[in-house]
Amino acid sequence: DQQVKQNSPSLSVQEGRISILNCDYTNSMFDYFLWYKKYPAEGPTFLISISSIKDKNEDGRFTVFLNKSAKHLSLHIVPSQPGDSAVYFCAAGDGGYQKVTFGTGTKLQVIP
Amino acid sequence: GAGVSQSPRYKVAKRGQDVALRCDPISGHVSLFWYQQALGQGPEFLTYFQNEAQLDKSGLPSDRFFAERPEGSVSTLKIQRTQQEDSAVYLCASSLRLFAYEQYFGPGTRLTVT
């Protein structure tokens, strides 16, 4: 039972354009959402998060949008840069101690 | 300061061997997590420590998996009688505060069971 789903395994975007990565979840108990970025042979690194009391959170080029009624969140990167090429994982927490559930990841390639 | 470190980075084990994977969290971090990441998948929760107490081990796939953090800092994940399906990257993560979802990950240990 995949509670956090990233249905696009890969995405290619031209440098300077917007990258939009999507994530859907099924567990209505999730109340905190995160995006992690992962380069090959490294562990995931925290990128941005959002609480369920908000519908948008912005940090520089990165914005996360949350649509609770649709159980959907998205990460927007604008403008995209070649250094953004990585695997992006969506993750969700249910208000417990800190346990998070990860999606399967989307590999983003930003083409120069 | 130093991040989360894990050793060894790569481990090849023959089926049936026991392995021990080490995690050094960021100094002072209270919470420590172990995850298993299979090829093409996201990290899957294995177990959680708050200081030296193992508060959740619901993700450990079998009783062949055992984790400890005896002094509330370094942690070891032990897998007994390894099987081919144990081949994966094992990730350790730590977090400074309780109830803070942002976790700092180590680079992982890639375990290959032949």
Side-chain angles (χ1 to χ4, degrees), chain B residues 85-106:
Chain B
E85 62 263 27
D86 300 335
S87 296
V89 175
Y90 290 85
L91 293 163
C92 174
S94 68
S95 181
L96 176 61
R97 295 180 290 116
L98 298 178
F99 310 113
Y101 283 105
E102 294 82 359
Q103 299 171 16
Y104 296 82
F105 281 82

Side-chain angles (χ1 to χ4, degrees), chain B residues 57-82:
Chain B
K57 53 182 181 179
S58 62
L60 296 176
S62 77
D63 59 7
R64 296 186 295 104
F65 287 72
F66 171 78
E68 60 183 4
R69 194 187 184 197
E71 296 177 0
S73 55
V74 171
S75 177
T76 304
L77 176 67
K78 297 179 180 177
I79 309 173
Q80 297 177 324
R81 305 181 303 282
T82 52

Side-chain angles (χ1 to χ4, degrees), chain A residues 1-3 5 7 10 26 32 52 54 64 75 77 96 102:
Chain A
D1 176 29
Q2 192 72 27
Q3 297 187 63
K5 301 176 186 178
N7 292 318
S10 63
T26 57
Y32 199 85
S52 60
K54 296 185 174 181
V64 56
L75 174 68
I77 306 172
F102 283 84

Side-chain angles (χ1 to χ4, degrees), chain A residues 2 31-32 34 36 38 41-46 49 89 92-105, chain B residues 9-10 31 33 35 37 40-43 45 48 56 58 91 95 97-108:
Chain A
Q2 192 72 27
D31 64 355
Y32 199 85
L34 308 95
Y36 280 85
K38 184 181 183 304
E42 294 183 13
T45 55
F46 169 72
S49 62
F89 290 100
D94 62 2
Y97 47 83
Q98 286 158 289
K99 180 178 177 179
V100 294
T101 301
F102 283 84
T104 53
Chain B
R9 290 294 311 275
Y10 302 91
S31 300
F33 297 81
Y35 293 87
Q37 185 176 16
Q41 301 297 313
F45 171 82
Y48 163 67
D56 188 341
S58 62
L91 293 163
S95 181
R97 295 180 290 116
L98 298 178
F99 310 113
Y101 283 105
E102 294 82 359
Q103 299 171 16
Y104 296 82
F105 281 82

Side-chain angles (χ1 to χ4, degrees), chain A:
Chain A
D1 176 29
Q2 192 72 27
Q3 297 187 63
V4 178
K5 301 176 186 178
Q6 295 177 256
N7 292 318
S8 298
S10 63
L11 175 68
S12 288
V13 172
Q14 289 287 335
E15 181 179 4
R17 307 294 286 266
I18 184 171
S19 296
I20 300 176
L21 295 93
N22 293 303
C23 177
D24 297 290
Y25 61 96
T26 57
N27 187 344
S28 57
M29 298 299 291
F30 287 146
D31 64 355
Y32 199 85
F33 304 89
L34 308 95
W35 285 93
Y36 280 85
K37 174 179 177 179
K38 184 181 183 304
Y39 293 117
E42 294 183 13
T45 55
F46 169 72
L47 192 57
I48 192 170
S49 62
I50 188 167
S51 163
S52 60
I53 62 173
K54 296 185 174 181
D55 55 16
K56 176 183 175 181
N57 189 27
E58 189 172 353
D59 183 2
R61 297 186 296 113
F62 302 91
T63 303
V64 56
F65 295 92
L66 175 62
N67 182 333
K68 288 188 291 294
S69 60
K71 294 192 176 66
H72 176 83
L73 64 156
S74 60
L75 174 68
H76 292 208
I77 306 172
V78 56
S80 301
Q81 299 174 354
D84 297 329
S85 297
V87 177
Y88 289 78
F89 290 100
C90 172
D94 62 2
Y97 47 83
Q98 286 158 289
K99 180 178 177 179
V100 294
T101 301
F102 283 84
T104 53
T106 296
K107 184 174 183 178
L108 173 66
Q109 181 183 21
V110 180
I111 303 165

